[in-house]
Amino acid sequence: MEIWLNPSCSKCRSAVEILDEEGARYTVRRYLEDPPDADDLRGVLTRLGLEPWDITRTQEAEAKELGLAQWERTGATREQWIAALAAHPRLIQRPIITADDGSALVGRSEEAVREAVARTGGEEASKG
């Protein structure tokens, strides 16, 4: 399992605490320091079953500067959204947890994080 996080985010810190409590094996990707490229984003979107606008933090200053609220949310603009997320990783909703069963979820609630652990199976923690 991998968790994409921003260490200054309280939801991310809470998710890590739950993963540790559950004894989950996971690796950490600090996505602001190691931003996902467009291929990474396409892969995680497929695993999430979501579109790029579904994981975009539209209230961030960068989103407002880019005018994301006015962007169309269609298949024709999907790659534009992905490019924006790759160029501005701060806009990515967090934390994103990829489970070993091939699924992923946005772990903003305790229930979602525990669901990721259940999909993977909790074992010794590993913060690689």
Side-chain angles (χ1 to χ4, degrees), residues 60-128:
E60 293 286 329
E62 288 175 81
K64 291 178 181 178
E65 289 170 16
L66 292 170
L68 291 183
Q70 287 74 45
W71 287 17
E72 289 184 28
R73 297 175 183 210
T74 66
T77 60
R78 186 174 198 268
E79 287 302 313
Q80 179 182 4
W81 282 86
I82 290 171
L85 292 174
H88 305 277
R90 187 171 306 281
L91 297 178
I92 300 170
Q93 192 61 261
R94 58 187 184 250
I96 292 178
I97 302 171
T98 57
D100 291 348
D101 71 354
S103 66
L105 47 81
V106 179
R108 295 196 52 80
S109 70
E110 179 177 340
E111 295 78 21
V113 177
R114 292 190 191 285
E115 173 66 20
V117 172
R119 291 178 186 182
T120 299
E123 297 172 8
E124 297 175 13
S126 166
K127 295 171 226 157

Side-chain angles (χ1 to χ4, degrees), residues 25-37:
R25 293 179 54 103
Y26 63 94
T27 57
V28 171
R29 180 173 187 170
R30 294 176 183 227
Y31 70 93
L32 296 179
E33 297 166 19
D34 179 18
D37 63 20

